[in-house]
Amino acid sequence: MDNSHIKEDLFFLEDASIEPDSDDDFKYEEVTTDYVSDNEVDEDFETAFRTSNKKETTSSEELHNEDNVDPKAEVVEDFIQNFLARMDMKRTFDCFQTEWEEIKKKGLLKQNDLNGVADCYIRNQQLHDEISSLKKDLKRFQDAAQRAKDTHLKLRRERDHHRMHHKRVIQEKDQLITDIKRLRQHYQLYEPTLKALRYKYEAAMKEKMLTKLERDRAVAQIEGLQSVQLVSFECAKGKSSENILSSEKSSDGEKAGISQKNAKDSEFPPDKGVNPFLSKQRIPCVHLTRSGGYRLTNTIEAHSLAVSGFALHPKKQILATVSDDRTWKLWSLPEGDVVMTGEGHTDWLSDCDFNPLGTKLVTTSGDTTVKIWDFAEERCVVSFDGHTHPVWGCSWHSGGDFVATCAMDGTSKIWDLNSLRCRSSLRGHTDSVNSIEFLPFSNTLCTCSADKTIAIWDARTGLSAQTLHGHVHSINHVTFNTQGDSLASCDAYGVVKLWDIRNSSVSTTIDMGPHPVNRVAFDPGSSVVAAASNDGVAKIYEISTGHITPLSPHDDAVQTVLFDRNGEYMVSGSSDSTVKVWS
């Protein structure tokens, strides 16, 4: 027998008897039809169909019964051959098959040797396979258990380490708590002394300020006496002082075109259009010419809420600040020492300004009132309440007798401090008026509004002389430069525009958006413009080069910026309640 294909398929030798198949030797039996009865009727189609279905059902049941019969037990020959084939014992398989057939043909095998293999052998083989599989599983589980044991020991060591560290941290925490309690008790012993020293310091600074004011007042009286002596000298020449004063008032009235409606009303000074700073040469900012530019030199914790407005004293290095906490404060610069504190408004403060002598301060508030504070009397001496909505801004006339204010009600008002009444209401904007400012040494006013326009007014007549268009968003602030020939304005989308007053046109447009710019300010030399941006950054724009320098940011939106008169430093106020001094 050819065994060349045993590697792929195994063949087994079995006895078989082949009957001769010849059609010639086969005898066919004739089939008769005698069994068909005469009385039997031919089946119709329906009957034949039912009979066929019945036979098919019977055949399927028989097949089902055959499937349930127990399989034939495996014989010895097949068992040994399957075992040798499974163990891949090819030569032993060939020898066994040859010798088995020889012995079988000789009749040396007994009937018991040819029967099926006993169940115990099959069961032993199954148990052997199962034991081999279980041994493999046992080895795998032992390895996993060893790894788990090692991990457990590692975690126990880490737990002990962390537990020891935790105990040490608790001990240090208890020690720190004890030290804090001891320090708090120690601080409470000094707190009354600190309060007394703080009160004495504020009282001393207030006395110092009052002394300076008294000195200024004395100087003013001396100047007045000198002028009286000059008038007396003129009277000696033949012209009385009364005639001189009456002639001056009549000439001023004719020039201004104002008819007196109240005996106490003040007169606007003659608008000669002479600005003493106009002839001064514009000089570049000293901080931009030096390396590094502006640097933060002091941070003042000014208020408990946002700082909303600034004003610089006309003669001293004193800064006035107003805040959303309903108070105003005076600070000495650049040290940042508090000089005076005032309160009286019932809502947030928006802006402030000194009078030309520096003896009074005007403040505006969200409570719709305008208050005048006298430093010598240490109280509010005048309160105006003509506006119907929150007041946004204020500006003191260079003559010292008038204050201009603007409000959310869309109007601006000019207040007379002698007659204590509103001299005129400026109506022309169609939305909230956000800023107002007098042109230095003139009777000209400038306002900006949420209606995206800037208006130039004549304070004597209360009429709009010109309207500037150019912004496409609400304008937040507008200001004159020191020379009075340029305007700077900013809007709610971060666009800053520089205007040439002489031809009423835009000279420069700077995009600092998209965050709103709340306030702008010129330096004394009119060479740079500072912008207070809502992104918490104060930005310096150099007009000659167009370069923008951002300063280190506040923790919140910058609300206002201001330069001192000499350009030595700049201050910025923010919603983070701080004032930063840059020099």
Side-chain angles (χ1 to χ4, degrees), residues 90-107:
K90 299 180 180 62
R91 290 177 294 178
T92 306
F93 180 88
D94 295 339
C95 295
F96 167 76
Q97 191 173 12
T98 303
E99 188 173 2
W100 179 271
E101 291 299 328
E102 291 177 357
I103 296 173
K104 187 176 180 181
K105 287 181 179 180
K106 292 178 181 180

Side-chain angles (χ1 to χ4, degrees), residues 2 13 23 35 48 57 106 114 121 246 303 355 416 449 467:
D2 187 8
L13 296 176
D23 294 339
Y35 64 92
T57 305
K106 292 178 181 180
L114 299 175
Y121 293 104
S246 61
H303 293 271
N355 71 332
D416 193 327
S449 171
T467 302

Side-chain angles (χ1 to χ4, degrees), residues 21 136 152 374 533:
D21 186 9
K136 293 179 181 179
H152 177 66
D374 192 312
S533 179

Side-chain angles (χ1 to χ4, degrees), residues 172-401:
E172 293 177 356
K173 176 185 174 183
D174 295 338
Q175 182 64 31
L176 289 175
I177 291 174
T178 304
D179 295 341
I180 290 172
K181 289 181 179 179
R182 186 171 62 255
L183 291 174
R184 186 180 289 112
Q185 294 175 356
H186 186 68
Y187 171 75
Q188 289 175 355
L189 297 177
Y190 287 96
E191 189 172 4
T193 306
L194 292 175
K195 288 183 178 179
L197 291 174
R198 188 180 298 111
Y199 176 77
K200 291 180 180 179
Y201 171 75
E202 292 180 356
M205 294 301 296
K206 187 180 296 184
E207 290 295 332
K208 179 181 177 181
M209 182 64 185
L210 293 176
T211 303
K212 291 182 179 179
L213 293 175
E214 289 295 336
R215 184 190 65 183
D216 296 339
R217 185 178 300 174
V219 172
Q221 290 176 355
I222 292 173
E223 292 176 354
L225 291 174
Q226 291 176 352
S227 62
V228 170
Q229 290 177 359
L230 180 61
V231 171
S232 300
F233 179 74
E234 293 292 338
C235 291
K237 291 182 178 181
K239 192 174 182 179
S240 64
S241 60
E242 293 181 357
N243 293 333
I244 294 174
L245 294 175
S246 61
S247 62
E248 289 181 356
K249 289 183 179 179
S250 61
S251 62
D252 292 345
E254 291 174 358
K255 292 180 182 178
I258 298 177
S259 60
Q260 293 287 342
K261 296 182 180 180
N262 190 311
K264 295 183 179 180
D265 281 348
S266 303
E267 292 185 3
F268 283 96
D271 197 353
K272 298 179 181 179
V274 177
N275 186 342
F277 297 102
L278 189 60
S279 60
K280 289 188 176 181
Q281 184 180 3
R282 299 192 181 189
I283 58 175
C285 181
V286 295
H287 295 285
L288 295 180
T289 57
R290 291 182 295 188
S291 60
Y294 281 93
R295 296 179 181 177
L296 180 64
T297 58
N298 193 10
T299 299
I300 306 171
E301 298 291 338
H303 293 271
S304 59
L305 293 178
V307 177
S308 54
F310 279 162
L312 193 63
H313 195 278
K315 298 181 180 180
K316 300 179 178 63
Q317 298 291 5
I318 293 177
L319 179 72
T321 61
V322 293
S323 170
D324 289 352
D325 62 5
R326 307 178 184 180
T327 64
W328 58 267
K329 294 183 179 181
L330 300 183
W331 307 86
S332 63
L333 292 179
E335 295 81 7
D337 298 327
V338 63
V339 177
M340 186 176 292
T341 301
E343 56 183 7
H345 285 282
T346 59
D347 208 338
W348 44 266
L349 276 70
S350 57
D351 199 6
C352 63
D353 195 17
F354 284 99
N355 71 332
L357 296 178
T359 57
K360 293 182 177 63
L361 181 74
V362 58
T363 57
T364 57
S365 170
D367 60 9
T368 72
T369 64
V370 179
K371 293 184 181 295
I372 308 296
W373 307 82
D374 192 312
F375 300 135
E377 300 183 16
E378 302 182 25
R379 65 183 182 90
C380 174
V381 294
V382 180
S383 181
F384 299 112
D385 55 0
H387 287 288
T388 59
H389 288 76
V391 187
W392 287 123
C394 59
S395 179
W396 214 303
H397 189 270
S398 57
D401 295 327

